[in-house]
């Protein structure tokens, strides 16, 4: 196989994703000598002033780009989106317990106050509340939300997990590819959290907007909404105030693998004491996944990969410099790229079948099958081989579902999307 240069390819891989070349060039120099210090960025202590400045700038730039309100904190963590499947459960169950304790005990709701342990009647009422009312709601619309719900059931027991919507029930084959109508969702009355994955990377399903049934009420109350935005963050404007927690891995639209970002409402940070949670037979989050601890330490409770934060910070500065209107500018480009690719697929129905329903097609992960000639396996092999010759790489679908997947992340240029659309059209007619 002939060697390829970076400029020869357009990489549509689902993640780790393509990074801007100028960001990589600057990061490479920083690995050797950061800001004339004689040490590379990966060699500086995470406790140094250099590290603190990198963290604070990245957080400030992310807040500016997404218009994150002041009553939210931005945490830089590790363990990826899968780690957050556990972290959201363990932190928000603690928040729910604090609320219920306040209702039952009528106390000042102090997280570390263990006087309740000496009030057996009230503690029994709290235990009964946990046993009968603790629920976590999940909207299962793809592989990742399915895994998130399974992790909650593993940690708490299936009796505490409510599958409020399951897209697999919409077709006889039991496959993902649509989002159940909100009128059919069976949401709990007082869930510790309602989780959904805003963009399902494997299945190509994206919520077209924030679900109206989860919107805050006029008095400011409403469900505790958690969204996994690992694969579409920074690509469109989001109503941050509608969410209690938004989390995402950096390796799609923000940076390199190794950093997980959590945007969390500050009012949800306080946690019950360990003694209370043990008395209720509820699990505690590992200290490195406890939001309150990470927030108090400015994301430096343990050793954070400052290099990966630095890369994310460079990406954010490039986005802010490119789009004076911030995320709205990127959203316009993202939509246009997706429209080009889907238009090419829709124009050739005899050669292609887009997997998800048209109403929920992802702008980020465009999943389709090549049906030209009737032999799908042979057609898809030929498609991938032809694309590779043109430098269009990373198009093979996830191993669990097969097919073709074009991941249209922010770093895919408009020209790259046009090139793929042109190939889709030409392959159909060949």
């Amino acid at each position: 196989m002939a060697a390829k240069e970076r400029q020869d390819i357009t990489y549509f891989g689902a993640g780790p994703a393509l990074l801007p070349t100028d960001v990589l060039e600057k990061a490479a120099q920083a690995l050797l000598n950061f800001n004339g210090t004689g040490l590379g960025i990966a060699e500086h202590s995470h406790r140094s002033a250099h590290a603190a400045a990198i963290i604070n700038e990245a957080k400030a730039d992310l807040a500016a780009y997404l218009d994150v309100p002041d009553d939210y904190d931005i945490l830089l963590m590790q363990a990826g989106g899968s780690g957050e499947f556990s972290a959201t459960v363990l932190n928000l169950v603690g928040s729910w317990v604090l609320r219920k304790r306040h209702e039952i005990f009528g106390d000042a709701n102090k997280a570390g106050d263990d006087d309740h342990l000496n009030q057996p009647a009230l503690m029994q009422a709290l235990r009964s509340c946990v046993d009968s009312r603790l629920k976590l709601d999940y909207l299962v619309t793809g592989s990742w939300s399915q895994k998130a719900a399974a992790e909650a059931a593993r940690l708490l027991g299936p009796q505490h997990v409510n599958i409020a919507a399951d897209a697999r029930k919409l077709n006889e084959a039991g496959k993902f590819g649509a989002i159940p109508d909100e009128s059919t969702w069976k949401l709990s009355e007082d869930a510790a959290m309602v989780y959904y994955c805003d963009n399902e990377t494997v299945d190509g399903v994206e919520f077209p907007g924030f679900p109206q049934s989860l919107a805050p009420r006029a008095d400011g109350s409403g469900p505790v909404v958690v969204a996994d935005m690992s694969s579409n963050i920074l690509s469109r404007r989001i109503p941050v105030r509608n969410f209690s927690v938004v989390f995402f891995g950096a390796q799609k639209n923000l940076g390199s693998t190794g950093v997980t970002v959590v945007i969390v409402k500050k009012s949800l940070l306080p946690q019950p004491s360990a003694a209370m949670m043990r008395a209720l037979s509820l699990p505690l989050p590992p200290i490195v996944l406890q939001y309150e601890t990470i927030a108090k330490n400015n994301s430096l409770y343990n050793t954070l990969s400052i290099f990966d934060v630095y890369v994310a910070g460079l990406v954010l500065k490039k986005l802010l410099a490119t789009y004076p209107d911030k995320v709205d500018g990127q959203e316009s480009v993202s939509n246009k790229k997706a429209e080009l690719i889907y238009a090419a697929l829709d124009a050739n129905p005899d050669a292609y079948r887009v997997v998800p329903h048209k109403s929920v097609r992802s702008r980020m992960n465009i999943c389709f099958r090549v049906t030209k000639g009737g032999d799908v396996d042979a057609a898809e092999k030929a498609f991938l081989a032809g694309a590779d010759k043109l430098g269009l790489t990373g198009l093979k679908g996830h191993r669990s579902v097969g097919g073709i997947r074009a991941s249209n992340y922010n770093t895919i240029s408009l020209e790259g999307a046009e090139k793929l659309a042109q190939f889709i059209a030409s392959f159909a007619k060949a």
Side-chain angles (χ1 to χ4, degrees):
M1 181 181 295
K4 293 179 180 177
E5 298 295 331
R6 185 173 183 82
Q7 64 269 20
D8 296 333
I9 69 167
T10 303
Y11 180 62
F12 290 93
L18 189 72
L19 281 162
T21 299
D22 56 347
V23 165
L24 288 177
E25 289 171 342
K26 189 167 184 178
Q29 179 58 45
L31 273 175
L32 292 173
N33 188 344
F34 175 69
N35 285 1
T37 61
L39 286 177
I41 185 63
E43 298 164 315
H44 278 283
S45 169
H46 64 296
R47 305 290 183 194
S48 68
H50 296 294
I54 288 168
I55 289 171
N56 292 335
E57 282 188 32
K59 289 168 62 174
D61 287 343
L62 179 61
Y65 184 76
L66 289 179
D67 291 325
V68 178
D70 290 339
D71 55 340
Y72 285 72
D73 210 336
I74 295 174
L75 313 179
L76 304 176
M77 300 178 66
Q78 297 169 63
S82 294
E84 289 305 313
F85 295 164
S86 306
T88 51
V89 169
L90 298 172
N91 283 277
L92 293 178
V93 164
S95 297
W96 183 89
V97 166
L98 280 185
R99 293 196 295 276
K100 297 306 152 191
R101 190 187 88 166
H102 183 61
E103 290 175 11
I104 292 170
F105 283 73
D107 58 17
N109 204 27
K110 294 179 181 178
D113 184 358
D114 286 335
D115 289 346
H116 62 282
L117 295 174
N118 300 318
Q119 303 179 61
L122 292 177
M123 273 303 296
Q124 182 56 50
L126 184 56
R127 287 192 198 97
S128 297
C129 181
V130 169
D131 291 342
S132 63
R133 295 177 58 189
L134 175 59
K135 293 291 182 184
L136 287 82
D137 287 358
Y138 284 81
L139 309 178
V140 178
T141 57
S143 300
W144 291 113
S145 49
Q146 181 184 4
K147 288 182 178 181
E151 177 65 356
R154 187 185 72 86
L155 290 170
L156 295 177
Q159 71 274 18
H160 293 300
V161 175
N162 171 45
I163 305 301
D166 190 340
R168 293 168 294 184
K169 295 181 179 180
L170 295 177
N171 60 70
E172 293 182 0
K175 294 183 178 181
F176 295 116
I179 296 175
D181 188 271
E182 290 188 43
S183 64
T184 68
W185 296 0
K186 301 185 184 306
L187 298 168
S188 302
E189 183 178 345
D190 183 29
M193 67 182 227
V194 182
Y195 163 98
Y196 74 95
C197 182
D198 203 41
N199 184 77
E200 292 280 3
T201 320
V202 172
D203 306 281
V205 171
E206 184 176 28
F207 278 76
F210 185 83
Q212 290 304 303
S213 58
L214 303 182
R217 303 182 186 103
D219 62 0
S221 65
V224 176
V225 181
V226 174
D228 177 354
M229 295 190 179
S230 289
S231 51
N232 67 346
I233 196 69
L234 311 186
S235 72
R236 68 179 181 184
R237 180 166 292 280
I238 59 172
V240 178
R241 285 204 177 278
N242 288 4
F243 299 97
S244 296
V245 177
V246 172
F247 68 82
F248 47 95
Q251 66 272 17
K252 309 289 205 263
N253 278 333
L254 179 58
S256 50
T257 306
V259 173
T260 309
V261 181
V262 178
I263 302 172
V264 55
K265 193 176 291 186
K266 290 179 181 178
S267 61
L268 293 172
L269 290 174
Q271 290 292 296
S273 68
M276 181 201 289
M277 295 298 278
R278 284 195 294 269
L280 297 171
S281 300
L282 290 172
L284 292 159
I287 198 72
V288 294
L289 294 181
Q290 188 178 65
Y291 295 157
E292 184 179 29
T293 298
I294 302 303
K296 285 179 178 178
N297 289 275
N298 194 28
S299 299
L300 288 173
Y301 177 80
N302 61 326
T303 306
L304 184 66
S305 175
I306 300 301
F307 173 71
D308 293 312
V309 179
Y310 178 68
V311 172
L314 292 178
V315 170
L316 286 165
K317 288 188 182 302
K318 183 178 178 68
L319 286 169
L320 287 167
T322 302
Y323 301 110
D325 50 353
K326 300 183 290 190
V327 70
D328 296 323
Q330 177 64 69
E331 180 172 5
S332 177
V333 174
S334 296
N335 291 347
K336 187 172 183 179
K337 291 187 298 175
E339 288 165 5
L340 280 168
I341 298 170
Y342 280 121
L345 293 168
D346 290 339
N348 296 281
D350 293 335
Y352 306 105
R353 176 178 62 82
V354 178
V355 174
H357 189 273
K358 194 169 186 176
S359 63
V360 297
R361 288 178 176 180
S362 170
R363 300 162 306 119
M364 294 288 104
N365 305 103
I366 298 168
C367 297
F368 59 97
R369 304 307 301 255
V370 184
T371 57
K372 178 183 177 182
D375 187 337
V376 174
D377 288 341
E380 290 179 345
K381 287 179 181 178
F383 181 93
L384 291 171
D388 188 72
K389 289 180 181 177
L390 295 176
L392 302 169
T393 64
L395 287 164
K396 190 173 183 179
H398 191 273
R399 62 186 180 279
S400 65
V401 295
I404 309 297
R405 174 174 55 175
S407 293
N408 181 38
Y409 298 135
N410 288 354
T411 45
I412 297 295
S413 66
L414 183 59
E415 292 75 18
E418 289 172 341
K419 188 175 181 180
L420 176 59
Q422 290 166 3
F423 172 68
I424 288 170
S426 63
F427 181 85
K429 295 175 173 57

